[in-house]
Amino acid sequence: MTGAEIIIQALIDQGVEVVFGYPGGAVLPIYDEIFKNQDKIKHVLVRQEGGALHAAEGYARSTGKVGCALVTSGPGATNAVTGLTDALLDSIPLVCITGQVPTFLVGTDAFQEADTTGITRPCTKHNYLIKDANKVADIIHEAFHVARSGRPGPVVIDIPKDVQFAKGAYKKALKPSLQTYQPKTEADRAAIEAAVALMANAKKPVFYTGGGVINAGTEASKLLRELVRETGFPITSTLMGLGAYPASDKQWLGMLGMHGTFEANLAMHDCDVMINIGARFDDRVTGRTDKFSPHSTKIHIDIDPSSINKNIHVDIPIVADAASALKMMIDVWKKHRYKADREALDKWRKQIEGWRAKNCLAYKNSDTVIKPQYALERLRDALAKDPREKYITTEVGQHQMWAAQFLPFNEPNRWMTSGGLGTMGYGLPAAVGVQMAHKDSLVVNISGDGSVQMNIQEIGTAIQYKLPVKIFILNNSWLGMVRQWQELLHGERYSETYSESLPDFVKLAEAYGGVGLRAETPDELDDVIEKMLKTDRLTIVDVCVDQRENIFPMIPSGKAHNEMILSPDADKFDKSLV
């Protein structure tokens, strides 16, 4: 077989159904094999390589499978770097195949040559440069194993063009137990025993969960629900962990962090036992680290040993897969017939309910101007009546945080957002990937007018493959999150954050062959949302929202959890950080 034939056969054997990519000279042998195997593997032609990586991320996050992308050498590979970094920070399993100039031209500054393995080494879990066709199959199989095992992440395979033409032998994949890479997944029993004993004696406990629960599979989410209900403890999560525990449950405190709820952040600050499962103490959660949850004993379960004690010192570190650790914790809790301290827990709940009574997400509505929060509430109510499976993607900015606050997620793998890197332009191509994986489901990308333009060319991809993605733009003509910081921290000096020229999003949708709708007043919202949900084509809804609205609660950078500001307190905010 040729190297290109081996690549396609290996992808098929790895269960790859869809490859997101963009052709070029250095990958033409692979594209020729894709043409011959159209009945076995689907290729989706994106409009820019960055879109391919984000689409693969959306596909992977919504299915739990490894996403796959294919790009050419040089600019194709460098355009993929943002998506690779995004996947690395959010622990998304990807395999990205990059073409390379022939081996005899490597190092000669050949046309479309770039040092792909050198460039991508810091932003991938692992990368390879293949110089022998006989090694192609083994390396591809190993790459998928590395991407999905342990802490998931992106892997790059760089393949020179002459290797794609060369003859080599095909080999089947080794069993996972025979692969060299064997991350630790089973928890230490003694550490779990100590953690559960600590939980049983807690007076003010809280579960702090993250994307690691979702990455561990749906079984981990089921076990998390069992443990939370068994203990009766309150639970919060990071942005990436939304959906692992149902937002509709009474033990749910909402999201924590910079724009998390008042009750979640204060519970984290005042708790005496913190059970971190699959979250990495990100700075958007911890704020000022020397004042982070000062009175708690901390348990941290993470499959990545390098995350333990990286940002915050923990008292009981447990390196394990979240599902494995949760199962063991439930077993230990039941075996010892532990019971939570009900009297203390009732007192703790009463304190939390006092914080919840603040109604921190309240906003002042208007009869004449659409408030972004109101737009999402109307969308939320309409989605609740729709019988289809729902998937939400977002771009990055104020709209992203409002979506996290106002849309309820009750199941894992339904919420796709760029949490770690904060990549504007993520949401639309991610929605393409999600819709490819879930053809009959409803996929809505919540966007801002600035962020959606970062990869707006992927409308063409959605149209070409008849993907009825909905793009719900909260249009305020500003780079809203940056404007908010300029208002609060930079004396209202709005440097370069207002867009004087925006496209007519309705006409833009129509120009591509989609549907464009607009709402300019609160009275028009329900009608356009209803029409959006009924269309069978890509649809843009341009929601013209209040240009001055800010998102609260907010923990300013450098402040502790108990120093958050609520909307009524914004004018009194300490601006000494400027």
Side-chain angles (χ1 to χ4, degrees):
M1 298 171 71
T2 66
E5 289 173 327
I6 293 171
I7 291 166
I8 297 303
Q9 187 59 53
L11 295 182
I12 292 170
D13 286 355
Q14 284 295 331
V16 174
E17 299 164 333
V18 185
V19 177
F20 301 90
Y22 201 96
V27 283
L28 284 184
I30 303 173
Y31 271 87
D32 200 40
E33 291 306 317
I34 286 176
F35 185 84
K36 297 173 187 173
N37 289 276
Q38 295 176 59
D39 58 331
K40 298 175 184 171
I41 196 161
K42 175 82 174 176
H43 180 272
V44 173
L45 174 65
V46 297
R47 270 41 181 179
Q48 201 256 25
E49 290 86 353
L53 273 294
H54 295 319
E57 283 188 276
Y59 181 91
R61 183 76 173 177
S62 66
T63 61
K65 302 176 183 176
V66 178
C68 190
L70 172 60
V71 301
T72 193
S73 63
T78 55
N79 280 343
V81 167
T82 298
L84 293 168
T85 311
D86 193 273
L88 183 71
L89 283 181
D90 284 346
S91 306
I92 307 299
L94 296 184
V95 169
C96 177
I97 296 174
T98 57
Q100 184 54 276
V101 300
T103 51
F104 53 85
L105 287 179
V106 170
T108 67
D109 295 334
F111 176 67
Q112 292 197 330
E113 183 191 4
D115 178 8
T116 301
T117 51
I119 291 169
T120 62
R121 187 168 293 120
C123 63
T124 54
K125 187 175 177 183
H126 195 55
N127 66 13
Y128 304 86
L129 171 62
I130 306 180
K131 295 183 177 178
D132 181 350
N134 285 303
K135 295 181 179 178
V136 169
D138 280 347
I139 287 177
I140 290 178
H141 294 316
E142 184 176 276
F144 275 83
H145 172 72
V146 170
R148 68 166 70 96
S149 305
R151 178 177 178 177
V155 178
V156 160
I157 310 172
D158 199 31
I159 310 180
K161 190 170 182 179
D162 56 331
V163 176
Q164 298 168 34
F165 280 122
K167 294 286 187 180
Y170 183 75
K171 296 177 184 175
K172 292 280 186 183
L174 295 173
K175 293 179 181 178
S177 60
L178 298 177
Q179 294 280 1
T180 305
Y181 177 59
Q182 295 294 338
K184 175 179 167 61
T185 57
E186 290 295 316
D188 177 73
R189 182 81 184 187
I192 292 286
E193 291 271 4
V196 177
L198 183 67
M199 289 163 57
N201 289 298
K203 308 298 181 190
K204 294 181 173 183
V206 66
F207 283 104
Y208 156 38
T209 58
V213 178
I214 293 175
N215 288 339
T218 53
E219 181 65 16
S221 293
K222 291 177 184 174
L223 292 166
L224 175 67
R225 293 163 194 226
E226 183 179 347
L227 182 61
V228 172
R229 286 165 184 158
E230 186 76 29
T231 59
F233 296 173
I235 176 171
T236 179
S237 96
T238 65
L239 180 74
M240 296 304 293
L242 295 177
Y245 192 82
S248 58
D249 192 84
K250 62 182 181 183
Q251 288 172 245
W252 173 245
L253 301 180
M255 181 179 73
L256 80 159
M258 180 174 280
H259 295 293
T261 67
F262 190 67
E263 53 268 33
N265 282 328
L266 288 195
M268 288 284 282
H269 186 269
D270 276 12
C271 71
D272 69 340
V273 174
M274 178 187 298
I275 310 116
N276 176 343
I277 306 173
R280 58 189 175 93
F281 291 109
D282 174 79
D283 67 288
R284 285 298 189 266
V285 164
T286 60
R288 185 171 170 175
T289 53
D290 62 342
K291 290 187 175 181
F292 174 68
S293 193
H295 310 299
S296 65
T297 304
K298 298 174 182 67
I299 301 163
H300 187 190
I301 298 168
D302 203 299
I303 199 163
D304 181 0
S306 71
S307 286
I308 303 286
N309 287 322
K310 182 176 184 179
N311 300 322
I312 296 291
H313 172 76
V314 297
D315 302 280
I316 303 181
I318 300 171
V319 177
D321 172 80
S324 167
L326 283 162
K327 187 173 188 309
M328 199 179 289
M329 291 175 98
I330 293 169
D331 291 344
V332 170
W333 183 274
K334 290 180 176 177
K335 175 188 168 188
H336 292 289
R337 298 183 180 179
Y338 282 131
K339 299 290 181 187
D341 184 334
R342 291 297 162 190
E343 185 177 344
L345 205 53
D346 286 345
K347 193 174 175 183
W348 179 226
R349 286 182 187 136
K350 190 175 179 181
Q351 187 175 358
I352 289 173
E353 289 307 312
W355 292 326
R356 203 195 294 269
K358 274 276 191 182
N359 192 16
C360 66
L361 300 183
Y363 63 95
K364 189 176 181 181
N365 208 355
S366 167
D367 293 332
T368 55
V369 179
I370 300 175
K371 295 289 184 176
Q373 303 96 323
Y374 180 70
L376 288 170
E377 286 180 334
R378 300 313 301 159
L379 177 65
R380 175 196 64 197
D381 293 348
L383 292 178
K385 297 172 186 171
D386 194 294
R388 289 173 287 183
E389 288 285 329
K390 272 85 67 178
Y391 295 84
I392 302 293
T393 68
T394 77
E395 306 291 345
V396 168
Q398 285 180 316
H399 66 274
Q400 177 191 27
M401 295 297 119
W402 276 315
Q405 291 177 340
F406 285 87
L407 298 182
F409 295 94
N410 295 314
E411 298 296 334
N413 306 106
R414 300 297 196 275
W415 165 248
M416 270 58 63
T417 196
S418 174
L421 193 61
T423 307
M424 294 171 72
Y426 167 89
L428 173 55
V432 167
V434 175
Q435 192 81 75
M436 278 302 301
H438 309 276
K439 287 289 183 64
D440 298 325
S441 298
L442 177 59
V443 181
V444 182
N445 176 36
I446 311 293
S447 306
D449 52 277
S451 202
V452 73
Q453 292 184 83
M454 286 276 190
N455 268 321
I456 204 163
Q457 74 283 350
E458 299 307 334
I459 290 175
T461 307
I463 293 290
Q464 178 169 335
Y465 294 93
K466 297 181 171 55
L467 303 176
V469 169
K470 317 302 182 193
I471 306 170
F472 195 78
I473 301 175
L474 300 179
N475 183 351
N476 61 8
S477 300
W478 288 86
L479 301 179
M481 189 66 87
V482 187
R483 181 193 57 74
Q484 177 167 340
W485 281 52
Q486 288 173 331
E487 178 179 327
L488 295 175
L489 301 172
H490 294 274
E492 301 184 12
R493 293 181 292 280
Y494 301 117
S495 181
E496 303 298 328
T497 42
Y498 181 71
S499 296
E500 294 184 4
S501 174
L502 286 175
D504 183 325
F505 289 112
V506 173
K507 290 181 179 176
L508 185 69
E510 293 170 350
Y512 271 100
V515 176
L517 302 165
R518 178 173 291 121
E520 295 179 306
T521 66
D523 290 342
E524 295 172 344
L525 258 179
D526 287 348
D527 183 52
V528 297
I529 291 173
E530 182 181 353
K531 287 177 180 174
M532 176 189 83
L533 296 180
K534 286 182 178 176
T535 67
D536 60 357
R537 286 183 286 162
L538 176 135
T539 302
I540 292 180
V541 177
D542 184 18
V543 184
C544 303
V545 299
D546 188 344
Q547 295 192 348
R548 302 290 299 178
E549 192 69 15
N550 285 334
I551 182 163
F552 294 101
M554 176 182 178
I555 302 176
S557 181
K559 295 285 186 178
H561 277 167
N562 61 343
E563 297 175 291
M564 77 176 70
I565 54 174
L566 304 179
S567 179
D569 303 326
D571 291 338
K572 296 176 287 184
F573 172 60
D574 173 13
K575 300 184 180 182
S576 61
L577 287 173
V578 176

